[in-house]
Amino acid sequence: MERFALTVGPVQYYWDRRTLTQFYASVADTPADTVVLGEVVCSRRHEMKLDDWLALARDLAAAGKEVVLASQVLLESEADLRAVRRLVEQRDFLVEAGDASALRLLQGRPFVAGPHINIYSRPALMEHASLGAVRWVAPVELSIDAVGLVNPPGARVPCAAGAEVETEVWAFGRLPLSFSARCFTARHFHLQKDECGFRCAGYPDGLPMSSSEGQPFLTLNGTQTQSAAVQCLIGEREALRRAGVRRVRLAPCAHDFERVVECFDAVYNQGACPHEARGLLESLRLPGALVNGYAHRRPGLEEVAA
């Protein structure tokens, strides 16, 4: 059975240092192949500095994991840019470009093109590969068949180093939909962004929003807006394989994440029944209902039978 690599994406929420340390200690014992580290949402979150992430990266690498360091999305200041420069200056770990702000600094060295870089066509992927991209994480709203057209299994985009660009797809987790210079969590509490009191720390899976009819709608996570539902492609293994995908991203959540990784490994790499695995996932303490609409060219909040 052809193996799929499992990537644990960066924690998008503001968890304290102890929680992060315990979380990554548990991740080290999972079947995950790759772990992406770093603060990608808000530079005001200060529990972990670059040196802390590097120390954690070395621990995970010693446990046999590939480690990637992610840069922040939506830089707003010279201080943010200096942080990206420091991240790029280290040479021990591959860097994931959070957005286009990191591309010039990374040009000429291998890097991962993150899900917020607008790569929607083969020419766009080829351009980023010429800069040094060795892997791209497809934008979350791109369907599986569209992903296969950008980097098809029979004609993969070549890397500058002579290999082929890997494709990674967001297979589990609340979907990051947008970023803003405003902090919506602070605004919810009638606070200024610079005097937010780090209210987002009180919501380990984000602050849920409901529609006027009381239905789950969106999730506020500081400057980031997420889906209320959880994307779950546990049943799409064969569709992803046909599209040339051999790597899937699992976004961390506050509860039972180790079980999530084990479920995906069982289905994607051990031949377990996806319907049974989905039932198990639905029994866990996940932050929202499971959906897969984007993967099938449908609205993201829909669930389509795989």
Side-chain angles (χ1 to χ4, degrees):
M1 190 174 189
E2 192 170 6
R3 177 173 172 76
F4 273 72
L6 306 179
T7 297
V8 174
V11 172
Q12 301 177 90
Y13 310 104
Y14 192 24
W15 296 353
D16 61 52
R17 179 190 298 265
R18 181 180 179 184
T19 300
L20 284 168
T21 302
Q22 293 175 339
F23 173 78
Y24 285 113
S26 67
V27 165
D29 294 328
T30 69
D33 301 274
T34 301
V35 183
V36 185
L37 300 176
E39 174 54 55
V40 297
V41 175
C42 179
S43 60
R44 283 180 52 77
R45 297 175 177 178
H46 59 278
E47 284 285 322
M48 300 282 283
K49 305 295 186 183
L50 177 58
D51 289 342
D52 300 314
W53 290 119
L54 288 171
L56 189 54
R58 288 189 285 269
D59 290 342
L60 287 165
K65 308 300 183 187
E66 178 197 31
V67 178
V68 177
L69 299 177
S71 71
Q72 183 185 325
V73 181
L74 190 62
L75 305 188
E76 297 181 51
S77 67
E78 178 59 32
D80 292 349
L81 188 56
R82 285 197 300 269
V84 176
R85 290 194 189 104
R86 285 194 63 207
L87 184 69
V88 173
E89 285 170 0
Q90 65 77 36
R91 297 285 173 163
D92 294 330
F93 303 100
L94 197 63
V95 173
E96 178 172 300
D99 64 12
S101 62
L103 293 179
R104 185 178 65 83
L105 296 173
L106 287 166
Q107 186 172 354
R109 58 177 286 191
F111 67 89
V112 178
H116 306 295
I117 293 180
N118 296 328
I119 299 176
Y120 293 99
S121 68
R122 184 176 178 84
L125 183 57
M126 293 177 68
E127 180 179 354
H128 286 80
S130 71
L131 298 176
V134 296
R135 182 183 306 159
W136 75 296
V137 187
V140 296
E141 70 274 20
L142 209 56
S143 65
I144 294 174
D145 61 334
V147 169
L149 294 175
V150 175
N151 196 25
R156 294 185 185 278
V157 171
C159 298
E164 297 175 333
V165 176
E166 285 187 295
T167 299
E168 181 171 304
V169 165
W170 191 290
F172 177 87
R174 276 184 166 154
L175 297 167
L177 302 176
S178 67
F179 290 82
S180 171
R182 292 183 176 181
C183 175
F184 294 110
T185 304
R187 191 177 182 87
H188 174 78
F189 289 102
H190 308 290
L191 297 170
Q192 296 296 319
K193 180 180 179 180
D194 292 341
E195 300 175 352
C196 65
F198 303 104
R199 293 297 182 93
C200 57
Y203 300 91
D205 276 317
L207 175 61
M209 292 181 61
S210 297
S211 67
S212 57
E213 291 80 20
Q215 298 299 313
F217 178 45
L218 294 171
T219 301
L220 302 183
N221 179 36
T223 59
Q224 181 191 61
T225 302
Q226 299 178 324
S227 62
V230 173
Q231 169 132 308
C232 179
L233 306 187
I234 195 71
E236 278 78 8
R237 181 191 187 279
E238 289 307 305
L240 290 168
R241 182 189 62 78
R242 290 192 297 271
V245 179
R246 296 295 182 273
R247 179 178 288 272
V248 292
R249 174 164 297 205
L250 313 176
C253 54
H255 301 288
D256 296 331
F257 184 71
E258 303 90 338
R259 301 286 302 280
V260 172
V261 178
E262 291 166 358
C263 275
F264 272 84
D265 183 60
V267 171
Y268 276 61
N269 295 321
Q270 301 176 39
C273 174
H275 300 293
E276 293 179 2
R278 183 182 178 82
L280 176 57
L281 288 172
E282 289 175 338
S283 72
L284 302 179
R285 294 174 294 169
L286 302 182
L290 303 183
V291 297
N292 63 359
Y294 279 147
H296 298 277
R297 293 185 179 266
R298 300 290 301 165
L301 50 70
E302 291 188 5
E303 171 61 22
V304 179

